[in-house]
Amino acid sequence: MLPTLAGMRELLAASALAWKQLLTITLPVGSYQTLLVPVFVLLLLGTVSSLSIVLRAFRPAFGAILPVVVFWVGVAFGPEDPAYPVERGLAMLSVTIGWVVWLRWDRRTAAIKRMSLDQEGAASSSGEARRASVRGFLAAGIILALAAAGGATATAGYPLVNDREVLRSNVIQPFDPRDQISPLAGFRRYLQPEAADTPMFTIHGMPAGQRLELATMDTYDGVVYSVGSDTVTSEAGSFTRMPYRLDQSGAGGHLLDLTVEVEEYSGVWAPGSGQLEEITFTGGRAAELADNFFYNNATGTGAVTLSLHAGDGYRLTSIAKPLASLDLLATSLPGPASLPPIPVLPDELANTLNLFAPVSDPPGVRLVQAISTLKLQGYVSHGISPDEPESRSGHASDRITQLLTEKPMVGDQEQYAVTAALMARQLGFPARVIMGFVPGQPQPGEDSTTILGGDVSAWVEVQTATDGWLSFDPTPPIRPVPPKLPEDPTVVARPESAVQPPVADPQQQESAASLESEQEEDDAASDPWMALLLRIAVIAGWTAAGILVVLSPFLLIIAAKWRRRRLRAAPGDPLRRISGGWQEFEDNVRDHGYLTPESATRSEVAQTVGGMRPLVLASVTDRAMFSPIESNAADADRVWASVRDLRESLGVGKGRWERLKALISVRSFDRYHGLRKGRDK
């Protein structure tokens, strides 16, 4: 298949523009449009450039830089919660360091073989080369282990307090639900006489009892429940473009295939059911709707910025859950989700909650009792038709207070769902309000279901620690509403003997109050200068720990040299001490950068250094090694005294940086010092 002109135009455009689109779409992107073009360009250029450096550059090790750059670009454009991030980073680090070490070993081995062709003792050189290679790998492994241990120690001692941030974390999404009016604020417009019997959608493939979800709301400001928060980036407020398909294998439920035909509905919210796997738009605006569809996978809410109108349609595949039983909440603990805080709670919410459910019960049992009491004592009325009892719309704090204090309790799905969600939040459970439609039973033999405006409803979704998000309908059953009781102050007044229960658990409030008072006393008693000194000490300690981690490889080299010198000078056989003294001097010579000939004699090493004193030390060592007269401890002490003087003289006339380089040099650990000389030729 040959590329077309249109395809080439898309390739060029995507190479420049698709980078931005990658940050505004849900991952993985799959084969959606041309969003994989940046990945193709990045890998192509990175691979070609890296191979060119390795095969042509004088320093082929620089070829490892580009794969690392490609890796970090992938991290920057990747998700905020990737799978195995630490393992992937360590694998990349290990492969990169391993390849650089192998490259150095390969070049070193090749150089040694070339030198061995011009010198005698090729077999001995081969054995030494293998030992040198082993030492090189061991040194690299030790340094890598030290770096890993230091990093792990620093991470354990000073853990990260912020979530992982990538480029998409700071990108302003094209669709912000906070710019839209809360769908729950217009709940009763669907119940007006002109809209109640109006078809909103025609659904194909919807099983009996399944609900159609319009939007999920997690933020309550005391006036309205909305999608997302203007102060906290909540799960419900983050919408991104959706690729061709989402993996919902971790979502429990049953597979659902629906075909939605929009009738008289108009709005940005795209109804669905459960966690969306795939959506395909139909109709004359299919391409435009697909390009402007945004989805929130945390709540299963979709939106189209162009707004849906009559004649639009789409097919969707999702994983849906039915309504859960209240019995599941009785033994459940609150889930881990973090939702925006509630600044204003209805005045009577805590009191009513304590009356419905004893404070001594577990939170799950209390929530079950509260929802059950709402359904038992509450009555449903929309307050629209003349024959319905009065029921004010809205779900602001004063409306919920009115619902909880009036006798009888009268409201509709809007008020009961909000009340149940606020009670769950009061008990510590993450809770959200879902607005959608509950269609009637389909006619026998019909595959389609017509959803009317009057089918609108609202229910609550609660997260537990074991079962995740569970949906419940707290709305009471439809039944006649009894007459409103007269407002008699003597009836509603509470007896003086009745002790008003506290808002929260008394033990928790008592412990919290005691902790706060102790903290205030400690803060008041503490010396500000002592606090400043303590803070300086903490900063200095972490700074010192970081410096120690960075310097640990060099400190290890210094410690190894100190131990080697101590073992050589340890009391014992004088001849061994004299030989060890010369080896110490020769190692210092090499660490100071002197290039000694391959398999050089002591005299040749002394001549390389220059001066009479090295020649004297070489002569004394040769005489001790080859003379029939045995040396004594005094001879060994004189040799070591001369070695110390010569070691100090090697640094005379050199700068501080040169002396430091000699101190941490590893040349003395490598017996092929002539190899460096050969490379410099």
Side-chain angles (χ1 to χ4, degrees), residues 422-492:
L422 295 179
M423 286 183 171
R425 293 289 301 272
Q426 183 75 7
L427 294 173
F429 284 90
R432 307 183 295 214
V433 174
I434 301 178
M435 178 177 167
F437 299 89
V438 181
Q441 296 294 330
Q443 295 297 327
E446 292 187 2
D447 180 56
S448 63
T449 301
T450 300
I451 294 182
L452 306 177
D455 295 330
V456 68
S457 184
W459 56 97
V460 66
E461 194 175 34
V462 178
Q463 189 191 47
T464 66
T466 54
D467 299 312
W469 290 100
L470 301 175
S471 297
F472 304 94
D473 192 345
T475 305
I478 303 297
R479 58 181 184 269
V481 181
K484 185 177 180 180
L485 296 178
E487 297 182 0
D488 187 355
T490 60
V491 175
V492 297

Side-chain angles (χ1 to χ4, degrees), residues 540-557:
W542 281 113
T543 304
I547 294 175
L548 184 62
V549 171
V550 174
L551 297 180
S552 57
F554 307 107
L555 297 177
L556 178 64
I557 295 173

Side-chain angles (χ1 to χ4, degrees), residues 395-432:
H395 52 276
S397 179
D398 62 326
R399 177 64 181 94
I400 303 303
T401 300
Q402 179 186 14
L403 175 74
L404 298 175
T405 54
E406 281 189 345
K407 304 298 180 182
M409 187 186 303
V410 179
D412 60 9
Q413 294 91 333
E414 177 186 2
Q415 289 83 43
Y416 287 111
V418 171
T419 302
L422 295 179
M423 286 183 171
R425 293 289 301 272
Q426 183 75 7
L427 294 173
F429 284 90
R432 307 183 295 214

